[in-house]
Amino acid sequence: MQVSTAEFKKGLRIVFDGNPYTIVDFQHVKPGKGGAFVRTKLKHMKLGKVIDNTFRSGEKVELVDSEEKHMQFLYQDDRYHFMDTETYEQVSLSADEVGDAREYLKENVEVDVLYIGAAPVAVELPNFVAPAPTRACAVTPRRAGRSRRPSRPGPSSRSRCS
């Protein structure tokens, strides 16, 4: 399927020079002289490098034939293992295929894996990932019946974290 430059939006996946790219940023420009054009920043979906390119206004480009599968991250050894939540099929990806998402993966996190053809290309994390606690502090509540000094500000409990 083809789209015109007028339909560009951030995150659109297009084929440029035979390679799959994602539009990171774009800007429609109408100069005083000459025809309008669209400046874009394109991120290569497999290599991750970003390039700048200019398209003439009204030019048509091909969309990437891709599929997103909802998967659950299982575990990591020398590869990253995911399970399709619908078919229960398991897939293992290399660190390069997972990309920057590997820093945020926790067991049982559900992600979207992008496939181009039959090959997995990228892992997209959910918008919000709950961080794991790094350390816990012991908190001791104040004893009942103990009076507080009004001149001493402070919380109603004391923390032993320092």
Side-chain angles (χ1 to χ4, degrees), residues 82-144:
F82 297 87
M83 177 185 68
D84 190 330
T85 55
E86 293 177 7
T87 63
Y88 302 107
E89 172 188 341
Q90 291 190 14
V91 176
S92 68
L93 304 176
S94 69
D96 291 336
E97 291 170 321
V98 174
D100 294 337
R102 67 179 169 259
E103 297 175 24
Y104 304 100
L105 285 175
K106 295 188 315 184
E107 288 184 7
N108 301 324
V109 168
E110 293 191 1
V111 297
D112 290 324
V113 178
L114 180 68
Y115 280 80
I116 296 179
V121 175
V123 174
E124 295 178 4
L125 293 168
N127 288 337
F128 300 99
V129 178
T134 55
R135 80 176 209 202
C137 299
V139 176
T140 57
R142 291 192 178 268
R143 293 188 190 136

Side-chain angles (χ1 to χ4, degrees), residues 2-3 7 17 34 50 52 65 75 86 90 92 95 105-107 114-115 129 131 136 141 146 148-149 155 161-162:
Q2 290 190 336
V3 295
E7 299 172 54
D17 286 342
V50 178
D52 292 321
D65 183 26
Y75 64 95
E86 293 177 7
Q90 291 190 14
S92 68
L105 285 175
K106 295 188 315 184
E107 288 184 7
L114 180 68
Y115 280 80
V129 178
R146 192 173 183 196
R148 285 187 60 193
R149 289 186 230 149
C161 282
S162 335

Side-chain angles (χ1 to χ4, degrees), residues 18-33:
N19 293 311
Y21 285 90
T22 302
I23 296 177
V24 177
D25 195 22
F26 69 97
Q27 179 181 18
H28 289 277
V29 179
K30 296 179 186 176
K33 264 186 178 175

